[in-house]
Amino acid sequence: MEQKTVLITGASRGIGAAAARAFAHAGYRVAVGYHTRRKEALALAEELGGIAVGADVGEQDQVEAMVE
């Protein structure tokens, strides 16, 4: 069975980080989305074995690049 991937924006802290951890523990590959908290996002991505992707979700081109 193929492992599913979830992208969680705002995942560098708070509710987003909790959601990222919950998905990781449920077996998902996690992409930790962030805008300004790169250091925190990278640390969480490393903890979860995922990746960190930065973008301003108010900018369409950045969202498209994040999803790719």
Side-chain angles (χ1 to χ4, degrees):
M1 179 178 258
E2 185 178 331
Q3 184 181 27
K4 294 184 179 185
T5 301
V6 62
L7 166 63
I8 301 176
T9 60
S12 63
R13 64 187 181 130
I15 294 170
R21 287 184 177 99
F23 274 101
H25 292 296
Y28 285 75
R29 206 170 29 190
V30 177
V32 177
Y34 69 94
H35 181 222
T36 59
R37 298 181 182 276
R38 183 176 187 271
K39 182 179 176 181
E40 293 89 340
L42 289 170
L44 181 59
E46 184 176 334
E47 172 191 328
L48 303 178
I51 63 168
V53 290
D56 177 349
V57 296
E59 300 293 331
Q60 182 67 30
D61 60 329
Q62 290 185 36
V63 172
E64 291 172 2
M66 180 186 353
V67 171
E68 282 187 37

